[in-house]
Amino acid sequence: MQIRLTAALAAAALGLGACSSEPAADNQAQAPAAGAERMVANVLLTPDARDVHSYAVPAEARVTHVSLDLEADFAAKVMRGSATLDVLAAEGAQQAILDTRDLNIASVTNAAGQPLQWQIGEARDQLHGAPLIVQLNGAKQIKVNYASAPGAAALQWLSPEQTSDKRQPFLFSQGQAILNRTWIPTQDSPGIRQTWDARIVVPDGITATMSGEGNVVNGGAARGEPAGEGKRAFAFRMDKPVAPYLIAIAAGDIAFKPTGPRSGVWAEPSQLDRVANEFSETEAMIKAAEGLYGPYEWGRYDVLVLPPSFPFGGMENPLLTFATPTVVAGDKSLTSLVAHELAHSWSGNLVTNATWNDFWLNEGFTSYFENRIMEAIYGRERAAMEADLAWTSMQESIADVGGLESADTQLQLNLGAERDPDEGMTQVAYDKGATFLRTIERAVGRERFDAYLKGYFARHAFQPMTSAGFLADIRQNLFADDPQTAQAIGLDAWVYQPGLPANAVHVQSPAFPAVDAAAKTFAAGGQAAAIPNWGTTWEMVRFLDQLPREMTADQLAALDQRFSLNAAGNSEIRFAWLKLALANQYAPATRSAEQFLTSMGRRKFVQPLFQILMEQGSWGQTLATRIYRTARPGYHSVTTGTVDPIVGYQAGSV
């Protein structure tokens, strides 16, 4: 059926207007004050912006705002309540289609409480869930009363025993890429940006936080309001349109401590001072980022350190980055993670990939930006080490996805509806994307490229973006008077072709040749006592990674004795050591591996170590099965979804 768009929807959908509020003089979209008209971001209707991982049809009807009123039921492990959605529909549109997965829908009404016809459509598969099809009957707002399922993939419910302080249960969400449909009925596509607000009820003694305004009130943690016997309600608000995967919640026994006038940390009380000390330079990072690419548009920037089961290093939820405790090393050596998640406040949150095919627009830009922040704060030497390690990581990732000819080494991917978009979230997007931008920088000069990126973020603030859109923008705003340089770089080949172009810029650390020489000497029979005490985490990681993958038990024992690697408190060093030790079936490392794998659920560490174990025949497979039996109940679904096939897990089999 052909749908004729109204002028308002056509402007929003086709990008003819940046938002419904008046843009500022510098072309930055401005958030409305409370009670004012809400900002509405455009959606893109070009073929490359069609999201095959969502049932939504935004050209007909799109969600612009979500209002949540939910209670966290820790006993039943469900979120229960309602979601009220503002819907912008084309003239003549009869229905709105939402994404859901395993939600228990009780009713759907309009704003006046009158029932609307609805049905759950046919599910494509378990991953995508099923469409909730609502007959609008002229409604501009629909209210869905529902509850999440106890096993909702986005939510992890932890018992008190699974937390550090062991006093209260804990809840957190992880929505990227398409998991938020398991607890919020909305159009779960990164290209359909939405404002939102929420009222969250939790038991007394538990503090709720979300990725919006309302966590910090008058410089301290929000306390909520009484909501019946033994309950408190917390209120949150996001008045800027964000991709729906960025709506996030965490609730537990947590406390807040400021680290600057607009930054702070959240953690369990026993961890708070340690975390605050680790991330004390957050304010300096914000200032460095603003100096590079323009104002920080989100107000506050806080970091919440979650229990160890969090599956990622960090998640860039606006105003409130979620972080793993594995980055709290005690010496600030792993704080590049904060720089990375902060950089997402521009690349990913401000300008967002329209579909998961263009994931690199989030992560490649952010990885480049992260390294620039690290250089500004810690100097070129540290930034060069981290960039050089990323180059090595990129080579490994290219091999992991099938080599230079694999389509999965393209920046723009071709993820069909049959594939989980999580499959495209490899290090290729991060490291090849950053290398592409670094190559452009080298070709045009840092000053020109910085000016371009600053303008790019301003021109497309709070909007979705595709690879084609980026290429058009850079040709118009950086290469309009210099097409020869653009041709020499090979912009299209970088984005649309597999492999790594020959002109890729490799930043090489001047510190690493000595490290590599030491690794070579030791591997050839040198003494462990002759290995220097490396001054940085990254030199130690480089040394371990440069050693041959086949080593003797005596060599490994010498390394362990020299550096106490089995007991290493730095997660990156411990990981690099265990990769080597387990690949050589070094028995004294098995206890260390078991402790490491059962004490955290960060997928970056968990997946490769179980993969290595399963490649070691019966020795490793027996060990992997035993460890996974203990560890799996504490892992988030993001991690188990990756590791289950590696270990051969089936319900009841491990």
Side-chain angles (χ1 to χ4, degrees), residues 461-519:
F462 306 109
Q463 306 300 328
M465 178 59 66
T466 64
S467 289
F470 162 68
L471 291 174
D473 185 272
I474 198 169
R475 284 190 167 102
Q476 178 179 347
N477 293 287
L478 184 60
F479 294 118
D481 298 326
D482 190 12
Q484 294 83 4
T485 299
Q487 184 174 2
I489 293 170
L491 301 176
D492 287 352
W494 269 96
V495 173
Y496 298 122
Q497 297 299 317
L500 188 66
N503 63 341
V505 169
H506 176 193
V507 175
Q508 294 177 293
S509 166
F512 282 171
V515 176
D516 297 349

Side-chain angles (χ1 to χ4, degrees), residues 224-243:
E225 299 291 339
E229 185 176 356
K231 300 177 182 179
R232 298 193 73 78
F234 292 79
F236 308 95
R237 174 173 175 262
M238 172 54 71
D239 60 6
K240 304 170 183 67
V242 297

Side-chain angles (χ1 to χ4, degrees), residues 234-359:
F234 292 79
F236 308 95
R237 174 173 175 262
M238 172 54 71
D239 60 6
K240 304 170 183 67
V242 297
Y245 70 85
L246 293 172
I247 304 175
I249 186 172
D253 180 15
I254 52 177
F256 171 79
K257 189 171 185 176
T259 56
R262 53 180 168 170
S263 62
V265 295
W266 291 84
E268 293 184 65
S270 67
Q271 307 298 312
L272 186 61
D273 288 342
R274 182 168 178 252
V275 168
N277 180 68
E278 195 80 1
F279 300 145
S280 62
E281 293 166 332
T282 299
E283 191 71 32
M285 289 185 178
I286 299 172
K287 292 178 180 178
E290 290 183 311
L292 288 166
Y293 300 130
Y296 178 75
E297 295 287 346
W298 304 90
R300 294 196 58 81
Y301 179 77
D302 298 323
V303 178
L304 167 61
V305 174
L306 291 168
S309 59
F310 185 58
F312 298 128
M315 182 62 209
E316 64 272 17
N317 303 311
L319 284 78
L320 188 65
T321 281
F322 286 8
T324 169
T326 64
V327 301
V328 183
D331 60 1
K332 303 181 182 180
S333 61
L334 305 181
T335 54
S336 59
L337 176 129
V338 175
H340 184 93
E341 306 308 333
L342 170 64
H344 269 303
S345 302
W346 286 260
S347 48
N349 296 0
L350 197 65
V351 184
T352 310
N353 50 237
T355 77
W356 297 112
N357 283 332
D358 286 322
F359 179 63

Side-chain angles (χ1 to χ4, degrees), residues 30-244:
Q30 297 295 301
E37 186 179 10
R38 294 190 180 106
M39 186 191 302
V40 177
N42 68 313
V43 294
L44 303 176
L45 299 181
T46 53
D48 61 328
R50 179 176 175 268
D51 186 359
V52 299
H53 297 290
S54 171
Y55 293 105
V57 185
E60 297 183 9
R62 58 162 299 200
V63 173
T64 61
H65 182 82
V66 179
S67 185
L68 300 172
D69 190 349
L70 299 171
E71 180 172 351
D73 186 336
F74 282 83
K77 298 183 178 180
V78 301
M79 298 292 286
R80 184 180 293 108
S82 66
T84 301
L85 312 175
D86 291 359
V87 177
L88 185 59
E91 185 176 337
Q94 301 298 312
Q95 62 186 25
I97 302 178
L98 311 178
D99 294 300
T100 71
R101 177 176 161 188
D102 299 328
L103 296 182
N104 297 311
I105 309 296
S107 64
V108 182
T109 70
N110 62 16
Q114 298 168 327
L116 295 174
Q117 286 187 315
W118 61 275
Q119 68 181 93
I120 299 294
E122 183 178 355
R124 180 186 302 158
D125 50 42
Q126 175 60 25
L127 170 69
H128 293 87
L132 171 58
I133 305 167
V134 180
Q135 301 303 314
L136 292 172
N137 196 26
K140 296 182 179 180
Q141 194 175 72
I142 58 178
K143 181 177 182 180
V144 183
N145 296 289
Y146 70 100
S148 65
L155 303 177
Q156 184 157 23
W157 304 83
L158 303 176
S159 67
E161 292 71 30
Q162 292 174 299
T163 68
S164 295
D165 291 359
K166 305 185 186 309
R167 296 190 300 200
Q168 295 285 0
F170 205 104
L171 161 69
F172 69 85
S173 69
Q174 173 53 44
Q176 195 180 46
I178 58 171
L179 298 182
N180 263 2
R181 64 190 67 184
T182 66
W183 73 286
I184 303 173
T186 188
Q187 293 175 327
D188 191 14
S189 170
I192 308 177
R193 301 177 67 120
Q194 303 151 28
T195 54
W196 61 268
D197 60 71
R199 176 180 179 269
I200 304 295
V201 176
V202 295
D204 280 340
I206 288 178
T207 298
T209 58
M210 288 192 76
S211 53
E213 298 173 357
N215 299 303
V216 178
V217 179
N218 297 324
R223 297 180 180 274
E225 299 291 339
E229 185 176 356
K231 300 177 182 179
R232 298 193 73 78
F234 292 79
F236 308 95
R237 174 173 175 262
M238 172 54 71
D239 60 6
K240 304 170 183 67
V242 297

